[in-house]
Amino acid sequence: MAYPLLDRTVKFARYDPPAMRSAYLDGGRVVVGDVPDPVPAFGQVLVRVLACGICGSDLHFVKYGRQMAAIGEEAPGQTSPLDFDRPIFMGHEFAGEVLEAGPDTAGPKPGTVVTSVPAMLTLSGPAQLAYSNDFPGGYSDRMLLSAPLLLEVPNGLDSELAALTEPMAVGIHAVNRSRIEPGESAVVLGCGPVGLACIAALRRRGVEVVVASDLSPARRRLAGVMGATDVVNPAEEPVVDAWQRVDGQRTLVVFEAVGVPGMLHAAMRDAPQGSRILVVGVCMERDAIQPFIGISKELNIQFALGYDPVEFAGSLRSIAEGEVDVAALVTGRVGVDGTPAAFEALANPDAHCKILVEPSVPDGDDL
Amino acid sequence: MAYPLLDRTVKFARYDPPAMRSAYLDGGRVVVGDVPDPVPAFGQVLVRVLACGICGSDLHFVKYGRQMAAIGEEAPGQTSPLDFDRPIFMGHEFAGEVLEAGPDTAGPKPGTVVTSVPAMLTLSGPAQLAYSNDFPGGYSDRMLLSAPLLLEVPNGLDSELAALTEPMAVGIHAVNRSRIEPGESAVVLGCGPVGLACIAALRRRGVEVVVASDLSPARRRLAGVMGATDVVNPAEEPVVDAWQRVDGQRTLVVFEAVGVPGMLHAAMRDAPQGSRILVVGVCMERDAIQPFIGISKELNIQFALGYDPVEFAGSLRSIAEGEVDVAALVTGRVGVDGTPAAFEALANPDAHCKILVEPSVPDGDDL
């Protein structure tokens, strides 16, 4: 199912189809242009995007997308569904307002605020809604969603907070995958959105000792807001030392949420005997470890990615019920045309945590 | 507690203490010499060594011992108890016959055949019995054991088979650590003694599909003896392909029992989504992995080392009850003086699996 972009150089002299603004990846850069207005088919619902968070994965994808696809293809029998010679839509942390349903499609009534796991049901199976040549992502005026996957946002919840359902679900999933119990303790390396989501999920799970570390003062402050019981600057005190100081007794689970080469080795080196390491930071480079350290301490390394639909729904419920206060995570808002500048701004961890693309934001973006 | 070696260059002109033959590591080489006969202290028992297997870890230790100690010291607060400028005893897979107990020490009566986890209880805590400057290991005529740790070898079990208690316990422990269930399936990379012990333990656990791989025809034959349901030459068919051919459905646990750089990456690359990888092969080099592969497939990597006393006792019981036929693993026997040659011979995986040092073996060793 192809969703052809309009050639932005073409003037619509004789024929002017409905178009919308969208930011997408083209030739390795995030650009903004007019694309055809999507039209809902059977099983689909057209929504007006209210807010869509920019994810660290999107920044990764801009830099490493081709490489990620190549690694995926290293496994036997795998081919990437993405064509890097065509524009690629991103934007998978969204909330939107239902405009209309496709033919013969039952969906929430127009005006309903919804979110969804970023997937589309197609006749050839589930497809990714973001990292897609075919479906506009949330950095667009409008997008298509699969009606059976829609979750209604509970009445009154700010769409900005609803858009944080997805990143917070990543933390819930990582914590589930870690098999951590309330009687154990946690260290969280890196307090970007993923690390912060882990902190919130750990506290919600009842883990009493959660020691977080980040080089950025702004992120350390947010770690406290999310419920970290202790927060350190790793340049001043190694985080496992801090954990030894405040606990040092319980079984430790280390959450690696930085995702740069060397972090896994450092986690293995510093973790106590019998620790578990949950890797949720996406390191795109080859990385060196010292297996003998793993052997001699009988470490366990669990990699985690994404979430399942139950975890996603739980994340929305948790936000709507005020169990986790995510408002502080939002540090900026841009319109669709401001998306490229927002990608740039996110390179500075002290300036921003989560920037939302909100098509209704006027010129003069809040960055 | 120091156990000084005699200087082999000294002639005992005026004083000739009782001595015994022992093979030990000296200046990075395995050498044989006369060392003082050990005398049992309180809590200790003197045994005559009947058989002691040469472990791959000992070959590793000869090559990497200093490095292993250095890595251990990288962790905060750790120092190696070993002095590499003094001779180091090895030999931790032993069975022996009780000669005498130390003063005020209750132990099995002389003539009893025993084995033990390779540890000594000392006033400063448990110490390693092998990789020790202080206690002669099993490549000696006689050795000291801690009376409370002794396990009596069930009447009639060949001491050669009892000496295999330790390596087979490594497999039991690895399988326990992997949390594998009978309804899951396993692939075993590498059919040296550790891989073979894993195969035996997997079959004893009730795992119905165990696909093993090794480049050596002799080791592949032994994998079949240990109960592997399929055995492949990885140069001819990748082992995960073989598993796909014979199963491909159940959750897969990959046992990495080779321990050379690149194996972990290959296991991660080839393992299906959601697999677990149990690393029991000891890779002493830095090793590169591609974390994104782990993330995208949500792999779990569990490192395993050693065993606990319950697993050790279970291993002895399992051998004594004939649940696992380990006789085929023994491919050579040498006296103490033949130990250095046996270390050399083990470099060829097609010639040997397990060589036993048996002080009673006469000149003209069976290699």
Side-chain angles (χ1 to χ4, degrees), chain A residues 3-353:
Chain A
Y3 181 82
L5 286 178
L6 296 186
D7 182 338
R8 281 167 292 138
T9 64
V10 168
K11 299 282 175 222
F12 302 117
R14 298 176 46 194
Y15 170 65
D16 197 2
M20 66 171 185
R21 296 297 279 170
S22 180
Y24 48 85
L25 185 63
D26 192 9
R29 289 168 47 238
V30 180
V31 298
V32 186
D34 289 332
V35 305
D37 227 356
V39 177
F42 170 73
Q44 297 176 345
V45 163
L46 180 70
V47 303
R48 179 169 75 86
V49 175
L50 297 172
C52 180
I54 298 177
C55 176
S57 298
D58 292 358
L59 277 75
H60 263 79
F61 191 83
V62 171
K63 190 169 174 188
Y64 295 107
R66 282 178 191 269
Q67 184 180 331
M68 289 159 95
I71 293 171
E73 288 181 352
E74 253 197 80
Q78 298 293 312
T79 54
S80 168
L82 272 181
D83 180 351
F84 283 84
D85 295 327
R86 292 170 52 208
I88 294 173
F89 292 106
M90 301 187 293
H92 58 274
E93 306 177 352
F94 48 78
E97 177 192 339
V98 172
L99 296 176
E100 59 173 307
D104 302 323
T105 300
K109 67 172 191 290
T112 309
V113 178
V114 297
T115 185
S116 163
V117 293
M120 278 300 258
L121 306 178
T122 76
L123 289 179
S124 52
Q128 290 198 113
L129 191 43
Y131 312 119
S132 168
N133 296 120
D134 301 325
F135 301 108
Y139 310 144
S140 309
D141 287 334
R142 289 172 285 282
M143 65 191 299
L144 299 174
L145 298 177
S146 268
L149 301 181
L150 292 181
L151 290 179
E152 225 170 282
V153 171
N155 193 24
L157 179 64
D158 192 318
S159 58
E160 287 194 342
L161 305 187
L164 294 166
T165 299
E166 203 273 356
M168 298 309 285
V170 171
I172 291 173
H173 177 72
V175 169
N176 285 344
R177 270 272 181 272
S178 79
R179 298 178 282 126
I180 195 167
E181 300 290 338
E184 300 179 318
S185 57
V187 150
V188 179
L189 311 178
C191 300
V194 169
L196 294 170
C198 289
I199 293 168
L202 285 162
R203 295 294 285 158
R204 190 170 161 238
R205 172 73 65 100
V207 176
E208 287 169 19
V209 176
V210 178
V211 186
S213 72
D214 200 294
L215 292 165
S216 149
R219 290 182 164 191
R220 289 202 299 275
R221 191 184 58 76
L222 288 172
V225 173
M226 288 297 109
T229 52
D230 293 86
V231 188
V232 297
N233 179 350
E236 290 172 2
E237 182 181 22
V239 64
V240 173
D241 288 5
W243 170 79
Q244 292 281 5
R245 177 168 52 72
V246 302
D247 178 0
Q249 294 295 321
R250 304 172 218 220
T251 298
L252 182 62
V253 184
V254 179
F255 287 76
E256 201 309 85
V258 176
V260 300
M263 288 302 297
L264 181 55
H265 168 71
M268 292 174 70
R269 182 197 59 211
D270 297 340
Q273 176 79 28
S275 298
R276 307 200 294 282
I277 299 172
L278 190 292
V279 180
V280 65
V282 180
C283 173
M284 287 308 306
E285 322 257 350
R286 284 183 84 82
D287 199 7
I289 64 168
Q290 185 59 271
F292 182 63
I293 293 177
I295 296 262
S296 63
K297 295 197 276 194
E298 294 208 292
L299 301 177
N300 184 280
I301 301 171
Q302 173 71 57
F303 295 92
L305 175 72
Y307 40 78
D308 66 31
V310 172
E311 291 164 335
F312 188 90
S315 177
L316 175 59
R317 197 166 52 241
S318 162
I319 293 171
E321 289 174 4
E323 289 174 13
V324 49
D325 176 15
V326 291
L329 303 182
V330 180
T331 55
R333 295 157 187 84
V334 294
V336 172
D337 283 12
T339 308
F343 270 71
E344 299 283 328
L346 283 165
N348 177 1
D350 237 19
H352 281 290
C353 178

Side-chain angles (χ1 to χ4, degrees), chain B residues 73 92 143 200 231 300 305 315:
Chain B
E73 288 180 353
H92 58 273
M143 65 191 299
V231 188
N300 183 278
L305 176 71
S315 176

